[in-house]
Amino acid sequence: DAAAFLDDLPDGYRVLQVPGTEFGAYRWGYTVDQPLPALTERPLVTRDLLPLGSAAAMDLVFALDDRFQDGTLDVASVAPVARLLGVDTVWVTGDVAFDRFRLARPEIVDALLTSPGAADTGLLPPVRFGEPTTMQPDRPMVDEQSISDGRVGSAIAPVTLVAVDDPVATVRVKTDEVVLSGDGAGIVDAAGAGIIDGTELIRYSASFDDGLDDGLVDALRSASRLVVTDTNRDRAH
């Protein structure tokens, strides 16, 4: 039903599935690969075992999903990043077998994206599919979240769709240029801080040749702003 709902939406956009998971492991079964591409014609953006896109795109997807997995997400960053990825709908997987790969708790992810305050960040009211269910792990599991977070154990829908306000189509032309010194994590931080809203053309300063070459100088002259983050450094990822 949720996939059919996606197919009835206007063409030209993608769906973002969160939280990311390496395999299709759910409370109802194990499909190995993600089942959603077989259920809908809408292009899927998600964190999978293998990168399913360009290095820059996957770096951004991983940076956003890392915040879900680490419990450090600023919900204000979701809509701007979704616009950059050409996403108009966020698919919140409530029935994921989070305990199998130690993923983000689905109740927490659901609450972050569907709380009344999320509407102030560019996310529209949720549309839910399936009977709300308590998503218990296959084996009893006690961790810091189950002890300290009251959202854990609450009944949630197996699938929740959250639309993005003012989405940007996958194929688009942009005129507001921003040069960013950083990577995907820097974009997520800038989005959470309200510095970008996802309608801009983002160009990494590191994409130019070494030093202040003519290309970077020209880009800085035409850009509306330069954003400097602390994420432009060598890291194993």
Side-chain angles (χ1 to χ4, degrees):
D1 290 343
F5 184 92
L6 290 178
D7 287 339
D8 288 337
L9 295 176
D11 293 333
Y13 300 89
R14 298 171 173 137
V15 57
L16 171 66
Q17 186 178 18
V18 295
T21 175
E22 284 79 5
F23 298 97
Y26 298 88
R27 296 264 75 93
W28 45 264
Y30 186 59
T31 60
V32 184
D33 293 325
Q34 292 294 338
L36 188 54
L39 300 176
T40 177
E41 297 296 324
R42 209 165 195 77
L44 173 65
V45 177
T46 191
R47 181 179 193 156
D48 209 319
L49 179 64
L50 298 175
L52 301 176
S54 68
M58 289 298 94
D59 182 58
L60 179 55
V61 172
F62 282 28
L64 180 66
D65 189 63
D66 282 345
R67 306 300 171 89
F68 281 105
Q69 307 293 351
D70 297 340
T72 58
L73 176 74
D74 183 348
V75 71
S77 64
V78 176
V81 172
R83 296 186 187 108
L84 287 173
L85 295 170
V87 166
D88 70 340
T89 307
V90 180
W91 176 296
V92 185
T93 309
D95 56 359
V96 63
F98 66 91
D99 48 306
R100 185 159 187 162
F101 299 108
R102 293 293 289 159
L103 305 176
R105 293 264 188 173
E107 307 98 319
I108 298 176
V109 175
D110 184 283
L112 284 171
L113 299 181
T114 64
S115 64
D120 298 330
T121 67
L123 299 177
L124 300 180
V127 180
R128 301 188 183 278
F129 297 86
E131 188 70 25
T133 305
T134 301
M135 303 298 173
Q136 296 287 358
D138 295 333
R139 293 182 175 83
M141 187 175 76
V142 177
D143 58 8
E144 70 281 2
Q145 289 179 318
S146 66
I147 295 173
S148 63
D149 197 318
R151 296 171 293 186
V152 172
S154 58
I156 59 173
V159 175
T160 298
L161 299 183
V162 180
V164 177
D165 192 22
D166 292 327
V168 177
T170 304
V171 179
R172 62 278 183 115
V173 175
K174 296 184 175 184
T175 57
D176 182 14
E177 184 177 339
V178 174
V179 175
L180 185 137
S181 176
D183 59 1
I187 290 180
V188 173
D189 290 338
I195 298 173
I196 61 173
D197 63 9
T199 61
E200 307 88 349
L201 168 66
I202 307 294
R203 303 184 72 183
Y204 289 134
S205 61
S207 297
F208 299 91
D209 293 336
D210 293 339
L212 287 173
D213 67 351
D214 291 340
L216 179 55
V217 172
D218 291 341
L220 290 172
R221 286 172 177 163
S222 62
S224 63
R225 53 201 177 279
L226 166 67
V227 180
V228 180
T229 78
D230 66 348
T231 64
N232 189 21
R233 59 186 188 272
D234 288 336
R235 290 180 291 171
H237 191 282

